[in-house]
Amino acid sequence: MVHNDLVLRPSNTPVAGHDTMMAVPSSRSPLAAPLGAPLVAMVGGGQLARMTHQAAIALGQNLRILATSADESAAQVTPDVVIGSHTDIDDLRRVAAGAHVLTFDHEQVPTELLEKLVAEGVNVAPPPQALLHAQDKLVMREKLAALGAPVPRYTGIERLDDLDALDAFAGQVDAPLVVKAVRGGYDGRGVRMARDLADARDIARDYLTNGAAVLVEERLALRRELSALVARSPLGQGAAWPVVQTVQRHGICVQVIAPAPGLTGDSAAAAQQLALRLAAELGVVGVLAVELFEATDGTLLVNELAMRPHNSGHWTMDGSRTSQFEQHLRAVLDYPLGDTDAIVPVTVMANVLGAARPPAMSLDERLHHLFARMPDSKVHLYGKAERPGRKVGHLNFLGADPTDLQKLRERAELAAHWLSHAQWTDGWDHHAAGDDAKRKVR
């Protein structure tokens, strides 16, 4: 756990000047906010907003969300919902009306709209000048390089006329290239590995022709990918969770191991301090995920930033004293931050991804069988329709002994595949076993 000096200050006051308006996604009436309870507005109605709502309930807070439809993940469970678009200034004003703070489930809100809200007195956290570094990869790379943070060698190309700069860059780095769209993209989208220089040119030309500037980077020889998750309050208090390892498959995170196995104490501390320094230098308020590359020589380099709760922090819901969702709320409301210590020696998180073809067995029935076999599994489902590769939930498995890590990972993989496909990859027969506790995997 890493904390800066703790200073207390009164909580923020609501933003005045607008009547609260909302669209309720069902026949339920909006719930009246308890007198004095903070109201947090969140742009986005996905699973991150859904899990933030769970944390808000525990803290006696109220969460209002801006969702695109009434069947979005968070809109299913949150009574205070505005149906609208994150690119519409009037919809953003409606969700922010009367709120203590406006924060985010995703980073796709146009900067110019957020600047208008700030000018109108809305408390936006993280502020738009910070959020820009999670929206624009080239701006992020340039800023981090200026701050002396370790980053891969890169060049930015914003016009087709400048495509020849790619050839010059390739000659300088003499390494395979990665071509990324400067804006948008997640879970591997907007990131393409070039086979050679000609392929890199074709990829860049395709992006540029469609109006997307590109970031071209050297492709590093990697040992693995890591994530340093921190939180920062408006007053400058910071807290860091243990650094974790993220396991990627086809550009999508499938598993997180907390803490990262085999990471030296010095490297872990350096990653935490780097993340805390970037949060302070960029003016972040809320949770910041610093995605890191660990090169084969042990060097750590910054890959990307996310200024919101992050997939690499889902393990904190069961494996840490303070979850990332509670901490994000504490931070944006300028509460004292919570203890980030892990409560067990190791936690493994596995994402549940939609199968190529959804199984005939209902997800609820799959859950019954999972609990019969693995009653210690901690399941978090998002209420999302199953589609190929879509994140529909995650599981956490907590281990009392670090030497059990491989077994814990295998169990997490088994459980996630079962929830996705209704198939046990080890051949276990749930019909033959029934609910016999003697047959469950330990």
Side-chain angles (χ1 to χ4, degrees), residues 49-75:
R50 183 186 180 106
M51 291 181 278
T52 303
H53 175 63
Q54 293 174 245
I57 291 172
L59 297 177
Q61 299 170 356
N62 300 282
L63 185 74
R64 178 188 299 148
I65 65 166
L66 176 62
T68 58
S69 66
D71 62 355
E72 275 200 90
S73 179

mmCIF file with all atom_site columns, all heavy atoms in Angstrom, residues 49-75:
data_model
loop_
_atom_site.group_PDB
_atom_site.id
_atom_site.type_symbol
_atom_site.label_atom_id
_atom_site.label_alt_id
_atom_site.label_comp_id
_atom_site.label_asym_id
_atom_site.label_entity_id
_atom_site.label_seq_id
_atom_site.pdbx_PDB_ins_code
_atom_site.Cartn_x
_atom_site.Cartn_y
_atom_site.Cartn_z
_atom_site.occupancy
_atom_site.B_iso_or_equiv
_atom_site.pdbx_formal_charge
_atom_site.auth_seq_id
_atom_site.auth_comp_id
_atom_site.auth_asym_id
_atom_site.auth_atom_id
_atom_site.pdbx_PDB_model_num
ATOM 1   N N   . ALA A 1 49 ? -19.949 0.924  -14.616 1.00 0.00 ? 49 ALA A N   1
ATOM 2   C CA  . ALA A 1 49 ? -20.962 1.716  -13.906 1.00 0.00 ? 49 ALA A CA  1
ATOM 3   C C   . ALA A 1 49 ? -21.808 0.823  -13.011 1.00 0.00 ? 49 ALA A C   1
ATOM 4   O O   . ALA A 1 49 ? -22.171 1.205  -11.898 1.00 0.00 ? 49 ALA A O   1
ATOM 5   C CB  . ALA A 1 49 ? -21.836 2.463  -14.906 1.00 0.00 ? 49 ALA A CB  1
ATOM 6   N N   . ARG A 1 50 ? -22.125 -0.378 -13.478 1.00 0.00 ? 50 ARG A N   1
ATOM 7   C CA  . ARG A 1 50 ? -22.923 -1.323 -12.692 1.00 0.00 ? 50 ARG A CA  1
ATOM 8   C C   . ARG A 1 50 ? -22.215 -1.648 -11.371 1.00 0.00 ? 50 ARG A C   1
ATOM 9   O O   . ARG A 1 50 ? -22.833 -1.632 -10.297 1.00 0.00 ? 50 ARG A O   1
ATOM 10  C CB  . ARG A 1 50 ? -23.159 -2.599 -13.495 1.00 0.00 ? 50 ARG A CB  1
ATOM 11  C CG  . ARG A 1 50 ? -24.038 -3.656 -12.827 1.00 0.00 ? 50 ARG A CG  1
ATOM 12  C CD  . ARG A 1 50 ? -24.052 -4.902 -13.698 1.00 0.00 ? 50 ARG A CD  1
ATOM 13  N NE  . ARG A 1 50 ? -24.867 -5.984 -13.158 1.00 0.00 ? 50 ARG A NE  1
ATOM 14  C CZ  . ARG A 1 50 ? -26.060 -6.360 -13.631 1.00 0.00 ? 50 ARG A CZ  1
ATOM 15  N NH1 . ARG A 1 50 ? -26.593 -5.712 -14.654 1.00 0.00 ? 50 ARG A NH1 1
ATOM 16  N NH2 . ARG A 1 50 ? -26.707 -7.364 -13.089 1.00 0.00 ? 50 ARG A NH2 1
ATOM 17  N N   . MET A 1 51 ? -20.912 -1.942 -11.455 1.00 0.00 ? 51 MET A N   1
ATOM 18  C CA  . MET A 1 51 ? -20.174 -2.304 -10.248 1.00 0.00 ? 51 MET A CA  1
ATOM 19  C C   . MET A 1 51 ? -19.881 -1.088 -9.374  1.00 0.00 ? 51 MET A C   1
ATOM 20  O O   . MET A 1 51 ? -19.756 -1.208 -8.147  1.00 0.00 ? 51 MET A O   1
ATOM 21  C CB  . MET A 1 51 ? -18.910 -3.066 -10.634 1.00 0.00 ? 51 MET A CB  1
ATOM 22  C CG  . MET A 1 51 ? -19.235 -4.454 -11.203 1.00 0.00 ? 51 MET A CG  1
ATOM 23  S SD  . MET A 1 51 ? -17.805 -5.462 -11.677 1.00 0.00 ? 51 MET A SD  1
ATOM 24  C CE  . MET A 1 51 ? -17.430 -4.811 -13.317 1.00 0.00 ? 51 MET A CE  1
ATOM 25  N N   . THR A 1 52 ? -19.792 0.089  -9.987  1.00 0.00 ? 52 THR A N   1
ATOM 26  C CA  . THR A 1 52 ? -19.674 1.321  -9.192  1.00 0.00 ? 52 THR A CA  1
ATOM 27  C C   . THR A 1 52 ? -20.961 1.559  -8.411  1.00 0.00 ? 52 THR A C   1
ATOM 28  O O   . THR A 1 52 ? -20.924 2.026  -7.261  1.00 0.00 ? 52 THR A O   1
ATOM 29  C CB  . THR A 1 52 ? -19.362 2.521  -10.106 1.00 0.00 ? 52 THR A CB  1
ATOM 30  O OG1 . THR A 1 52 ? -18.168 2.268  -10.836 1.00 0.00 ? 52 THR A OG1 1
ATOM 31  C CG2 . THR A 1 52 ? -19.180 3.794  -9.285  1.00 0.00 ? 52 THR A CG2 1
ATOM 32  N N   . HIS A 1 53 ? -22.101 1.241  -9.022  1.00 0.00 ? 53 HIS A N   1
ATOM 33  C CA  . HIS A 1 53 ? -23.383 1.372  -8.331  1.00 0.00 ? 53 HIS A CA  1
ATOM 34  C C   . HIS A 1 53 ? -23.419 0.489  -7.090  1.00 0.00 ? 53 HIS A C   1
ATOM 35  O O   . HIS A 1 53 ? -23.912 0.900  -6.031  1.00 0.00 ? 53 HIS A O   1
ATOM 36  C CB  . HIS A 1 53 ? -24.523 0.999  -9.282  1.00 0.00 ? 53 HIS A CB  1
ATOM 37  C CG  . HIS A 1 53 ? -25.873 0.973  -8.645  1.00 0.00 ? 53 HIS A CG  1
ATOM 38  N ND1 . HIS A 1 53 ? -26.463 2.090  -8.095  1.00 0.00 ? 53 HIS A ND1 1
ATOM 39  C CD2 . HIS A 1 53 ? -26.747 -0.047 -8.458  1.00 0.00 ? 53 HIS A CD2 1
ATOM 40  C CE1 . HIS A 1 53 ? -27.648 1.766  -7.602  1.00 0.00 ? 53 HIS A CE1 1
ATOM 41  N NE2 . HIS A 1 53 ? -27.835 0.482  -7.810  1.00 0.00 ? 53 HIS A NE2 1
ATOM 42  N N   . GLN A 1 54 ? -22.884 -0.729 -7.193  1.00 0.00 ? 54 GLN A N   1
ATOM 43  C CA  . GLN A 1 54 ? -22.845 -1.612 -6.029  1.00 0.00 ? 54 GLN A CA  1
ATOM 44  C C   . GLN A 1 54 ? -22.056 -0.970 -4.888  1.00 0.00 ? 54 GLN A C   1
ATOM 45  O O   . GLN A 1 54 ? -22.466 -1.037 -3.719  1.00 0.00 ? 54 GLN A O   1
ATOM 46  C CB  . GLN A 1 54 ? -22.199 -2.942 -6.413  1.00 0.00 ? 54 GLN A CB  1
ATOM 47  C CG  . GLN A 1 54 ? -22.991 -3.779 -7.398  1.00 0.00 ? 54 GLN A CG  1
ATOM 48  C CD  . GLN A 1 54 ? -22.227 -5.009 -7.854  1.00 0.00 ? 54 GLN A CD  1
ATOM 49  O OE1 . GLN A 1 54 ? -21.877 -5.163 -9.018  1.00 0.00 ? 54 GLN A OE1 1
ATOM 50  N NE2 . GLN A 1 54 ? -21.950 -5.892 -6.918  1.00 0.00 ? 54 GLN A NE2 1
ATOM 51  N N   . ALA A 1 55 ? -20.933 -0.367 -5.224  1.00 0.00 ? 55 ALA A N   1
ATOM 52  C CA  . ALA A 1 55 ? -20.122 0.288  -4.194  1.00 0.00 ? 55 ALA A CA  1
ATOM 53  C C   . ALA A 1 55 ? -20.836 1.506  -3.623  1.00 0.00 ? 55 ALA A C   1
ATOM 54  O O   . ALA A 1 55 ? -20.756 1.776  -2.414  1.00 0.00 ? 55 ALA A O   1
ATOM 55  C CB  . ALA A 1 55 ? -18.770 0.688  -4.788  1.00 0.00 ? 55 ALA A CB  1
ATOM 56  N N   . ALA A 1 56 ? -21.550 2.239  -4.465  1.00 0.00 ? 56 ALA A N   1
ATOM 57  C CA  . ALA A 1 56 ? -22.272 3.425  -3.993  1.00 0.00 ? 56 ALA A CA  1
ATOM 58  C C   . ALA A 1 56 ? -23.345 3.047  -2.984  1.00 0.00 ? 56 ALA A C   1
ATOM 59  O O   . ALA A 1 56 ? -23.575 3.769  -2.003  1.00 0.00 ? 56 ALA A O   1
ATOM 60  C CB  . ALA A 1 56 ? -22.891 4.163  -5.188  1.00 0.00 ? 56 ALA A CB  1
ATOM 61  N N   . ILE A 1 57 ? -24.019 1.931  -3.218  1.00 0.00 ? 57 ILE A N   1
ATOM 62  C CA  . ILE A 1 57 ? -25.048 1.472  -2.277  1.00 0.00 ? 57 ILE A CA  1
ATOM 63  C C   . ILE A 1 57 ? -24.433 1.273  -0.892  1.00 0.00 ? 57 ILE A C   1
ATOM 64  O O   . ILE A 1 57 ? -24.978 1.713  0.127   1.00 0.00 ? 57 ILE A O   1
ATOM 65  C CB  . ILE A 1 57 ? -25.691 0.161  -2.775  1.00 0.00 ? 57 ILE A CB  1
ATOM 66  C CG1 . ILE A 1 57 ? -26.521 0.421  -4.034  1.00 0.00 ? 57 ILE A CG1 1
ATOM 67  C CG2 . ILE A 1 57 ? -26.562 -0.457 -1.680  1.00 0.00 ? 57 ILE A CG2 1
ATOM 68  C CD1 . ILE A 1 57 ? -27.024 -0.852 -4.688  1.00 0.00 ? 57 ILE A CD1 1
ATOM 69  N N   . ALA A 1 58 ? -23.296 0.589  -0.844  1.00 0.00 ? 58 ALA A N   1
ATOM 70  C CA  . ALA A 1 58 ? -22.656 0.300  0.443   1.00 0.00 ? 58 ALA A CA  1
ATOM 71  C C   . ALA A 1 58 ? -22.246 1.575  1.174   1.00 0.00 ? 58 ALA A C   1
ATOM 72  O O   . ALA A 1 58 ? -22.249 1.624  2.409   1.00 0.00 ? 58 ALA A O   1
ATOM 73  C CB  . ALA A 1 58 ? -21.440 -0.602 0.227   1.00 0.00 ? 58 ALA A CB  1
ATOM 74  N N   . LEU A 1 59 ? -21.898 2.608  0.417   1.00 0.00 ? 59 LEU A N   1
ATOM 75  C CA  . LEU A 1 59 ? -21.458 3.862  1.018   1.00 0.00 ? 59 LEU A CA  1
ATOM 76  C C   . LEU A 1 59 ? -22.604 4.832  1.274   1.00 0.00 ? 59 LEU A C   1
ATOM 77  O O   . LEU A 1 59 ? -22.373 5.959  1.721   1.00 0.00 ? 59 LEU A O   1
ATOM 78  C CB  . LEU A 1 59 ? -20.411 4.532  0.121   1.00 0.00 ? 59 LEU A CB  1
ATOM 79  C CG  . LEU A 1 59 ? -19.097 3.756  -0.082  1.00 0.00 ? 59 LEU A CG  1
ATOM 80  C CD1 . LEU A 1 59 ? -18.187 4.507  -1.051  1.00 0.00 ? 59 LEU A CD1 1
ATOM 81  C CD2 . LEU A 1 59 ? -18.389 3.509  1.241   1.00 0.00 ? 59 LEU A CD2 1
ATOM 82  N N   . GLY A 1 60 ? -23.834 4.432  0.980   1.00 0.00 ? 60 GLY A N   1
ATOM 83  C CA  . GLY A 1 60 ? -24.974 5.314  1.187   1.00 0.00 ? 60 GLY A CA  1
ATOM 84  C C   . GLY A 1 60 ? -25.017 6.458  0.206   1.00 0.00 ? 60 GLY A C   1
ATOM 85  O O   . GLY A 1 60 ? -25.622 7.500  0.484   1.00 0.00 ? 60 GLY A O   1
ATOM 86  N N   . GLN A 1 61 ? -24.390 6.272  -0.946  1.00 0.00 ? 61 GLN A N   1
ATOM 87  C CA  . GLN A 1 61 ? -24.350 7.307  -1.968  1.00 0.00 ? 61 GLN A CA  1
ATOM 88  C C   . GLN A 1 61 ? -25.361 7.002  -3.072  1.00 0.00 ? 61 GLN A C   1
ATOM 89  O O   . GLN A 1 61 ? -25.938 5.914  -3.126  1.00 0.00 ? 61 GLN A O   1
ATOM 90  C CB  . GLN A 1 61 ? -22.941 7.399  -2.561  1.00 0.00 ? 61 GLN A CB  1
ATOM 91  C CG  . GLN A 1 61 ? -21.877 7.755  -1.543  1.00 0.00 ? 61 GLN A CG  1
ATOM 92  C CD  . GLN A 1 61 ? -20.469 7.600  -2.097  1.00 0.00 ? 61 GLN A CD  1
ATOM 93  O OE1 . GLN A 1 61 ? -20.276 7.159  -3.226  1.00 0.00 ? 61 GLN A OE1 1
ATOM 94  N NE2 . GLN A 1 61 ? -19.480 7.942  -1.291  1.00 0.00 ? 61 GLN A NE2 1
ATOM 95  N N   . ASN A 1 62 ? -25.555 7.962  -3.965  1.00 0.00 ? 62 ASN A N   1
ATOM 96  C CA  . ASN A 1 62 ? -26.460 7.798  -5.092  1.00 0.00 ? 62 ASN A CA  1
ATOM 97  C C   . ASN A 1 62 ? -25.674 7.942  -6.384  1.00 0.00 ? 62 ASN A C   1
ATOM 98  O O   . ASN A 1 62 ? -24.864 8.862  -6.524  1.00 0.00 ? 62 ASN A O   1
ATOM 99  C CB  . ASN A 1 62 ? -27.563 8.865  -5.046  1.00 0.00 ? 62 ASN A CB  1
ATOM 100 C CG  . ASN A 1 62 ? -28.375 8.770  -3.765  1.00 0.00 ? 62 ASN A CG  1
ATOM 101 O OD1 . ASN A 1 62 ? -29.231 7.929  -3.614  1.00 0.00 ? 62 ASN A OD1 1
ATOM 102 N ND2 . ASN A 1 62 ? -28.068 9.655  -2.817  1.00 0.00 ? 62 ASN A ND2 1
ATOM 103 N N   . LEU A 1 63 ? -25.912 7.022  -7.308  1.00 0.00 ? 63 LEU A N   1
ATOM 104 C CA  . LEU A 1 63 ? -25.236 7.064  -8.592  1.00 0.00 ? 63 LEU A CA  1
ATOM 105 C C   . LEU A 1 63 ? -26.271 7.248  -9.697  1.00 0.00 ? 63 LEU A C   1
ATOM 106 O O   . LEU A 1 63 ? -27.222 6.474  -9.804  1.00 0.00 ? 63 LEU A O   1
ATOM 107 C CB  . LEU A 1 63 ? -24.457 5.774  -8.845  1.00 0.00 ? 63 LEU A CB  1
ATOM 108 C CG  . LEU A 1 63 ? -23.603 5.768  -10.116 1.00 0.00 ? 63 LEU A CG  1
ATOM 109 C CD1 . LEU A 1 63 ? -22.370 6.639  -9.944  1.00 0.00 ? 63 LEU A CD1 1
ATOM 110 C CD2 . LEU A 1 63 ? -23.194 4.352  -10.513 1.00 0.00 ? 63 LEU A CD2 1
ATOM 111 N N   . ARG A 1 64 ? -26.090 8.289  -10.482 1.00 0.00 ? 64 ARG A N   1
ATOM 112 C CA  . ARG A 1 64 ? -26.909 8.497  -11.681 1.00 0.00 ? 64 ARG A CA  1
ATOM 113 C C   . ARG A 1 64 ? -26.034 8.217  -12.893 1.00 0.00 ? 64 ARG A C   1
ATOM 114 O O   . ARG A 1 64 ? -24.875 8.621  -12.940 1.00 0.00 ? 64 ARG A O   1
ATOM 115 C CB  . ARG A 1 64 ? -27.415 9.936  -11.752 1.00 0.00 ? 64 ARG A CB  1
ATOM 116 C CG  . ARG A 1 64 ? -28.245 10.229 -13.016 1.00 0.00 ? 64 ARG A CG  1
ATOM 117 C CD  . ARG A 1 64 ? -28.559 11.704 -13.152 1.00 0.00 ? 64 ARG A CD  1
ATOM 118 N NE  . ARG A 1 64 ? -29.344 12.149 -12.009 1.00 0.00 ? 64 ARG A NE  1
ATOM 119 C CZ  . ARG A 1 64 ? -29.275 13.369 -11.486 1.00 0.00 ? 64 ARG A CZ  1
ATOM 120 N NH1 . ARG A 1 64 ? -28.429 14.264 -12.001 1.00 0.00 ? 64 ARG A NH1 1
ATOM 121 N NH2 . ARG A 1 64 ? -30.016 13.713 -10.471 1.00 0.00 ? 64 ARG A NH2 1
ATOM 122 N N   . ILE A 1 65 ? -26.586 7.514  -13.876 1.00 0.00 ? 65 ILE A N   1
ATOM 123 C CA  . ILE A 1 65 ? -25.780 7.156  -15.038 1.00 0.00 ? 65 ILE A CA  1
ATOM 124 C C   . ILE A 1 65 ? -26.390 7.717  -16.314 1.00 0.00 ? 65 ILE A C   1
ATOM 125 O O   . ILE A 1 65 ? -27.605 7.938  -16.401 1.00 0.00 ? 65 ILE A O   1
ATOM 126 C CB  . ILE A 1 65 ? -25.611 5.632  -15.170 1.00 0.00 ? 65 ILE A CB  1
ATOM 127 C CG1 . ILE A 1 65 ? -26.963 4.951  -15.441 1.00 0.00 ? 65 ILE A CG1 1
ATOM 128 C CG2 . ILE A 1 65 ? -24.933 5.054  -13.950 1.00 0.00 ? 65 ILE A CG2 1
ATOM 129 C CD1 . ILE A 1 65 ? -26.857 3.532  -15.912 1.00 0.00 ? 65 ILE A CD1 1
ATOM 130 N N   . LEU A 1 66 ? -25.532 7.933  -17.303 1.00 0.00 ? 66 LEU A N   1
ATOM 131 C CA  . LEU A 1 66 ? -25.958 8.261  -18.653 1.00 0.00 ? 66 LEU A CA  1
ATOM 132 C C   . LEU A 1 66 ? -25.768 7.012  -19.487 1.00 0.00 ? 66 LEU A C   1
ATOM 133 O O   . LEU A 1 66 ? -24.640 6.586  -19.748 1.00 0.00 ? 66 LEU A O   1
ATOM 134 C CB  . LEU A 1 66 ? -25.130 9.414  -19.227 1.00 0.00 ? 66 LEU A CB  1
ATOM 135 C CG  . LEU A 1 66 ? -25.424 9.801  -20.682 1.00 0.00 ? 66 LEU A CG  1
ATOM 136 C CD1 . LEU A 1 66 ? -26.868 10.282 -20.842 1.00 0.00 ? 66 LEU A CD1 1
ATOM 137 C CD2 . LEU A 1 66 ? -24.450 10.868 -21.171 1.00 0.00 ? 66 LEU A CD2 1
ATOM 138 N N   . ALA A 1 67 ? -26.872 6.391  -19.893 1.00 0.00 ? 67 ALA A N   1
ATOM 139 C CA  . ALA A 1 67 ? -26.836 5.151  -20.661 1.00 0.00 ? 67 ALA A CA  1
ATOM 140 C C   . ALA A 1 67 ? -27.447 5.378  -22.035 1.00 0.00 ? 67 ALA A C   1
ATOM 141 O O   . ALA A 1 67 ? -28.311 6.247  -22.206 1.00 0.00 ? 67 ALA A O   1
ATOM 142 C CB  . ALA A 1 67 ? -27.604 4.049  -19.932 1.00 0.00 ? 67 ALA A CB  1
ATOM 143 N N   . THR A 1 68 ? -27.014 4.597  -23.003 1.00 0.00 ? 68 THR A N   1
ATOM 144 C CA  . THR A 1 68 ? -27.559 4.735  -24.352 1.00 0.00 ? 68 THR A CA  1
ATOM 145 C C   . THR A 1 68 ? -28.903 4.039  -24.496 1.00 0.00 ? 68 THR A C   1
ATOM 146 O O   . THR A 1 68 ? -29.677 4.358  -25.400 1.00 0.00 ? 68 THR A O   1
ATOM 147 C CB  . THR A 1 68 ? -26.592 4.167  -25.393 1.00 0.00 ? 68 THR A CB  1
ATOM 148 O OG1 . THR A 1 68 ? -26.326 2.787  -25.087 1.00 0.00 ? 68 THR A OG1 1
ATOM 149 C CG2 . THR A 1 68 ? -25.278 4.941  -25.383 1.00 0.00 ? 68 THR A CG2 1
ATOM 150 N N   . SER A 1 69 ? -29.187 3.070  -23.614 1.00 0.00 ? 69 SER A N   1
ATOM 151 C CA  . SER A 1 69 ? -30.470 2.362  -23.669 1.00 0.00 ? 69 SER A CA  1
ATOM 152 C C   . SER A 1 69 ? -30.789 1.798  -22.296 1.00 0.00 ? 69 SER A C   1
ATOM 153 O O   . SER A 1 69 ? -29.907 1.651  -21.437 1.00 0.00 ? 69 SER A O   1
ATOM 154 C CB  . SER A 1 69 ? -30.436 1.231  -24.703 1.00 0.00 ? 69 SER A CB  1
ATOM 155 O OG  . SER A 1 69 ? -29.528 0.223  -24.304 1.00 0.00 ? 69 SER A OG  1
ATOM 156 N N   . ALA A 1 70 ? -32.057 1.458  -22.107 1.00 0.00 ? 70 ALA A N   1
ATOM 157 C CA  . ALA A 1 70 ? -32.510 0.983  -20.804 1.00 0.00 ? 70 ALA A CA  1
ATOM 158 C C   . ALA A 1 70 ? -32.040 -0.428 -20.483 1.00 0.00 ? 70 ALA A C   1
ATOM 159 O O   . ALA A 1 70 ? -32.131 -0.858 -19.337 1.00 0.00 ? 70 ALA A O   1
ATOM 160 C CB  . ALA A 1 70 ? -34.046 1.031  -20.751 1.00 0.00 ? 70 ALA A CB  1
ATOM 161 N N   . ASP A 1 71 ? -31.531 -1.162 -21.474 1.00 0.00 ? 71 ASP A N   1
ATOM 162 C CA  . ASP A 1 71 ? -31.081 -2.518 -21.205 1.00 0.00 ? 71 ASP A CA  1
ATOM 163 C C   . ASP A 1 71 ? -29.566 -2.614 -21.029 1.00 0.00 ? 71 ASP A C   1
ATOM 164 O O   . ASP A 1 71 ? -29.018 -3.710 -20.931 1.00 0.00 ? 71 ASP A O   1
ATOM 165 C CB  . ASP A 1 71 ? -31.546 -3.478 -22.306 1.00 0.00 ? 71 ASP A CB  1
ATOM 166 C CG  . ASP A 1 71 ? -30.974 -3.133 -23.674 1.00 0.00 ? 71 ASP A CG  1
ATOM 167 O OD1 . ASP A 1 71 ? -30.289 -2.104 -23.794 1.00 0.00 ? 71 ASP A OD1 1
ATOM 168 O OD2 . ASP A 1 71 ? -31.230 -3.900 -24.622 1.00 0.00 ? 71 ASP A OD2 1
ATOM 169 N N   . GLU A 1 72 ? -28.880 -1.479 -20.965 1.00 0.00 ? 72 GLU A N   1
ATOM 170 C CA  . GLU A 1 72 ? -27.447 -1.534 -20.680 1.00 0.00 ? 72 GLU A CA  1
ATOM 171 C C   . GLU A 1 72 ? -27.210 -2.095 -19.284 1.00 0.00 ? 72 GLU A C   1
ATOM 172 O O   . GLU A 1 72 ? -28.081 -2.061 -18.413 1.00 0.00 ? 72 GLU A O   1
ATOM 173 C CB  . GLU A 1 72 ? -26.827 -0.141 -20.807 1.00 0.00 ? 72 GLU A CB  1
ATOM 174 C CG  . GLU A 1 72 ? -26.437 0.225  -22.226 1.00 0.00 ? 72 GLU A CG  1
ATOM 175 C CD  . GLU A 1 72 ? -25.418 1.359  -22.256 1.00 0.00 ? 72 GLU A CD  1
ATOM 176 O OE1 . GLU A 1 72 ? -24.208 1.070  -22.230 1.00 0.00 ? 72 GLU A OE1 1
ATOM 177 O OE2 . GLU A 1 72 ? -25.849 2.527  -22.301 1.00 0.00 ? 72 GLU A OE2 1
ATOM 178 N N   . SER A 1 73 ? -26.012 -2.597 -19.077 1.00 0.00 ? 73 SER A N   1
ATOM 179 C CA  . SER A 1 73 ? -25.665 -3.313 -17.853 1.00 0.00 ? 73 SER A CA  1
ATOM 180 C C   . SER A 1 73 ? -26.037 -2.542 -16.595 1.00 0.00 ? 73 SER A C   1
ATOM 181 O O   . SER A 1 73 ? -26.720 -3.057 -15.704 1.00 0.00 ? 73 SER A O   1
ATOM 182 C CB  . SER A 1 73 ? -24.171 -3.625 -17.860 1.00 0.00 ? 73 SER A CB  1
ATOM 183 O OG  . SER A 1 73 ? -23.779 -4.292 -16.696 1.00 0.00 ? 73 SER A OG  1
ATOM 184 N N   . ALA A 1 74 ? -25.605 -1.293 -16.476 1.00 0.00 ? 74 ALA A N   1
ATOM 185 C CA  . ALA A 1 74 ? -25.877 -0.515 -15.270 1.00 0.00 ? 74 ALA A CA  1
ATOM 186 C C   . ALA A 1 74 ? -27.316 -0.039 -15.205 1.00 0.00 ? 74 ALA A C   1
ATOM 187 O O   . ALA A 1 74 ? -27.890 0.074  -14.116 1.00 0.00 ? 74 ALA A O   1
ATOM 188 C CB  . ALA A 1 74 ? -24.927 0.671  -15.185 1.00 0.00 ? 74 ALA A CB  1
ATOM 189 N N   . ALA A 1 75 ? -27.922 0.236  -16.355 1.00 0.00 ? 75 ALA A N   1
ATOM 190 C CA  . ALA A 1 75 ? -29.306 0.731  -16.370 1.00 0.00 ? 75 ALA A CA  1
ATOM 191 C C   . ALA A 1 75 ? -30.279 -0.308 -15.842 1.00 0.00 ? 75 ALA A C   1
ATOM 192 O O   . ALA A 1 75 ? -31.373 0.038  -15.388 1.00 0.00 ? 75 ALA A O   1
ATOM 193 C CB  . ALA A 1 75 ? -29.691 1.154  -17.788 1.00 0.00 ? 75 ALA A CB  1
#
